[in-house]
Amino acid sequence: MILPWLLLGSIAGIIAGLIPGLHSNNVAVLLAVSPFFGEEITIFMLGMCITQSFTEFIPSIFLGAPSENTFESILPAHKMLLEGKALEAVCATVLGGIIAVLIGSALTPFFFSFIEQNSQEIITTTPFILGFALLVFIFSEKDLKKLIWAAFIVIAAASQGMLFSNQVFPLITGYFGIAGTLHSLKERPVKARQEENAEVGSETIGSAIVGLIGGALVSVMPGIGSNTAAGIINVFKKTPSAKGYLTMLGSINASNFFFSFATLFALSKARNGTMLALKDKMFFTPEMLLIGTLAMVTAAGIGGLCTILLSKKAMGILDEQKTKKLSIASIVLMIILVGLFCGTIGLIAMIFATALGLLTITKGIRRSTCMSALIVPAMLFYIFILT
Amino acid sequence: MNDTQLTQICFIITIAGMVALALTYEPQFENSTITQLGEKENSKGILFGRVIAVIENYPITLFTLDDGNVALIYYPRATTLEQNDFVKVYAENRSEQQPTNPSAIKKPKKQLNLYAQKVEKQ
């Protein structure tokens, strides 16, 4: 019976999602060297990854809320937290993920056909899309001073990305985790009573569809993750609201993983650590594709359910003092995890990334500009493989 | 849609997915023999046997397996198999599978050609 394996995988995914820095890819690497093989371990890993793609929004939404002085430069989730709409932020990400997985499962045969015929064209146009996104990061700043700072941050982040090319986790932790959380400790956070009910309307469905398409394309591109995709899509298509952006992000996150499973079948190419581990562990049969798809849809339901329920619990126990304590604990945990998984080099990369992240926040520059650390190395990678 | 309705939708998806999985899932590979796989096209099974000869092992592996009967096994990965190794093979009888190795074509016509999803040395 594979249902117990799916449930075990989902529990592993929930735990991985709630711990900042722990990713299903880390667990997949451990499983890759294990003697397990076949449907059970495949279902475990798929369940873990899809569930984690939902629950990992909980620590990012509830920890590290900045104050009203930095309101304009913070990520949409924190904006909604300040408005007392943390539950709505969570529900927006869940809605995006659910739509992505349900529509994605219906579109899988078309996706197969599309990537078999167009994968090379997608890879050829990717460096141009990435380069254009970098230019927009800089020139979308209307103030000349901010434009110069944005250019500086793009160059600095790109340098860090190339210098610490195997330290993606420490860099992301520094830019988006520790920098924001440290800044929130310095500033007095706005006290907002969290609303106990949330509304996610049909206006966000368009954002979910955009996210689904973005996640599907990104699942074919090596070196481009969900965060990079979201940053680039946001450059080309401004989402009308924070809720819409979060729905798009939830959709990208789930569909990126969902379609990477189909990509593995269609092209025999792995696009993330979990798929790389699965490549040696599963059977490449039509039955496995069907079972895998059903398992991921089920795991999406479990992930969405647990994310909403856990968020309601988190709202019930968080107040200003506990938020501060949790923020400090979160910083300590991130530092420990970076040290454990990435060693001294990782800690050094994290320190530099944190410094740049803090500079980005204090200068009021969009924090997604720091994604240059991933975009420029990816661009160079594509130019290298195309030449 | 409010959070309660979204929770209910997630619950329904979970239950529906579990029911669909429970109804559609069947173990793909169960213990079998070369004779049993040969009786039906597109059948799958786990074979236990001895390697009689390794024709190729890089970049693909082509070898003959003996479990009382002999079959030619095609495995699309490199291995370190050697003659007389005991192996466990997750095999399929794919009706379209044709070996490309010329020496294999010289084998007796009744020998079964099987595709392996996984080969494990015992």
Side-chain angles (χ1 to χ4, degrees):
Chain A
M1 278 298 287
I2 54 166
L3 285 178
W5 287 92
L6 177 60
L7 291 172
L8 277 172
S10 297
I11 291 168
I14 290 167
I15 295 169
L18 292 176
I19 299 174
L22 185 60
H23 197 272
S24 50
N25 282 340
N26 303 122
V27 183
V29 163
L30 291 172
L31 291 172
V33 297
S34 73
F36 299 114
F37 176 81
E39 293 135 339
E40 290 84 5
I41 195 66
T42 304
I43 297 304
F44 177 92
M45 288 163 87
L46 292 176
M48 175 178 65
C49 292
I50 288 285
T51 314
Q52 194 228 340
S53 73
F54 283 82
T55 57
E56 63 186 352
F57 284 104
I58 295 175
S60 67
I61 288 172
F62 283 97
L63 296 179
S67 72
E68 53 197 336
N69 292 330
T70 55
F71 192 86
E72 290 302 315
S73 64
I74 60 168
L75 299 172
H78 294 160
K79 204 179 271 192
M80 292 184 75
L81 180 69
L82 289 175
E83 292 169 358
K85 295 184 177 182
L87 184 61
E88 202 162 295
V90 168
C91 288
T93 64
V94 168
L95 181 66
I98 292 288
I99 288 173
V101 172
L102 287 179
I103 298 179
S105 57
L107 292 178
T108 301
F110 303 103
F111 177 74
F112 251 66
S113 161
F114 175 77
I115 59 169
E116 274 180 340
Q117 291 166 20
N118 298 296
S119 61
Q120 195 51 44
E121 285 79 2
I122 293 169
I123 288 170
T124 307
T125 52
T126 299
F128 299 101
I129 295 170
L130 296 177
F132 188 70
L134 283 179
L135 292 173
V136 175
F137 278 154
I138 298 168
F139 291 102
S140 62
E141 298 292 346
K142 295 180 176 52
D143 183 62
L144 179 63
K145 249 187 176 176
K146 278 192 169 184
L147 192 147
I148 295 169
W149 276 115
F152 172 77
I153 287 164
V154 164
I155 294 168
S159 306
Q160 288 177 354
M162 287 190 286
L163 191 60
F164 302 108
S165 55
N166 294 324
Q167 305 297 331
V168 175
F169 168 52
L171 289 174
I172 297 294
T173 303
Y175 296 139
F176 302 106
I178 295 179
T181 311
L182 268 177
H183 202 265
S184 74
L185 290 173
K186 178 177 156 292
E187 299 275 336
R188 183 183 163 77
V190 171
K191 254 184 166 177
R193 188 179 159 275
Q194 296 300 323
E195 291 173 11
E196 289 178 0
N197 298 306
E199 281 288 332
V200 277
S202 56
E203 75 276 11
T204 57
I205 290 177
S207 299
I209 304 289
V210 169
L212 168 72
I213 296 167
L217 287 173
V218 157
S219 72
V220 186
M221 302 176 188
I224 311 290
S226 302
N227 279 311
T228 311
I232 292 168
I233 290 173
N234 208 35
V235 163
F236 291 103
K237 185 194 180 310
K238 288 283 179 210
T239 47
S241 64
K243 212 164 34 174
Y245 179 81
L246 287 168
T247 306
M248 182 185 73
L249 203 53
S251 178
I252 290 175
N253 226 23
S255 62
N256 183 15
F257 184 80
F258 183 88
F259 284 113
S260 66
F261 182 63
T263 302
L264 183 62
F265 265 88
L267 303 177
S268 297
K269 286 192 186 335
R271 290 290 176 252
N272 55 55
T274 306
M275 289 302 127
L276 203 58
L278 270 179
K279 203 174 166 186
D280 288 330
K281 294 287 180 187
M282 70 176 194
F283 305 124
F284 284 82
T285 60
E287 292 87 350
M288 192 68 248
L289 182 58
L290 173 65
I291 294 165
T293 303
L294 283 174
M296 288 192 287
V297 171
T298 311
I302 295 170
L305 194 59
C306 292
T307 300
I308 297 172
L309 295 175
L310 286 170
S311 297
K312 288 184 176 180
K313 284 279 179 201
M315 272 169 33
I317 61 174
L318 284 179
D319 58 29
E320 185 183 334
Q321 285 308 312
K322 281 183 186 155
T323 305
K324 263 191 153 60
K325 285 181 186 169
L326 274 171
S327 297
I328 294 169
S330 170
I331 291 171
V332 170
L333 181 64
M334 282 189 267
I335 294 170
I336 290 171
L337 289 172
V338 166
L340 262 175
F341 291 132
C342 308
T344 312
I345 296 287
L347 289 169
I348 295 170
M350 184 192 70
I351 291 167
F352 282 113
T354 303
L356 190 63
L358 283 168
L359 179 70
T360 309
I361 295 170
T362 51
K363 293 300 173 188
I365 307 299
R366 176 168 43 195
R367 253 194 288 172
S368 51
T369 310
C370 294
M371 293 305 299
S372 311
L374 302 183
I375 290 173
V376 170
M379 227 168 73
L380 295 175
F381 168 77
Y382 277 92
I383 291 168
F384 174 73
I385 61 170
L386 289 171
T387 53
Chain B
M1 186 191 311
N2 61 35
D3 55 293
T4 306
Q5 288 167 327
L6 187 57
T7 308
Q8 289 166 349
I9 289 170
C10 290
F11 184 72
I12 291 167
I13 290 169
T14 303
I15 299 300
M18 283 184 173
V19 168
L21 263 176
L23 291 174
T24 54
Y25 174 72
E26 275 179 17
Q28 293 186 70
F29 292 88
E30 290 177 326
N31 290 349
S32 184
T33 63
I34 291 172
T35 307
Q36 287 170 338
L37 289 189
E39 285 166 0
K40 192 181 167 193
E41 278 180 6
N42 299 318
S43 58
K44 299 189 185 84
I46 303 172
L47 305 176
F48 296 88
R50 184 175 63 88
V51 176
I52 299 173
V54 179
I55 300 158
E56 274 184 62
N57 60 11
Y58 184 85
I60 57 101
T61 304
L62 203 56
F63 65 98
T64 47
L65 180 76
D66 180 7
D67 73 346
N69 283 293
V70 175
L72 180 68
I73 311 287
Y74 171 88
Y75 180 48
R77 287 172 188 266
T79 62
T80 55
L81 286 185
E82 292 173 354
Q83 192 177 10
N84 296 322
D85 281 345
F86 282 92
V87 293
K88 179 180 179 182
V89 181
Y90 293 78
E92 292 180 64
N93 181 5
R94 293 184 176 184
S95 52
E96 72 278 14
Q97 175 61 36
Q98 294 295 328
T100 54
N101 187 293
S103 62
I105 295 170
K106 291 177 191 166
K107 298 284 177 187
K109 286 181 187 174
K110 286 189 179 174
Q111 180 178 280
L112 189 62
N113 300 322
L114 299 172
Y115 179 93
Q117 286 278 349
K118 176 78 174 173
V119 175
E120 290 177 338
K121 263 194 204 181
Q122 301 294 292

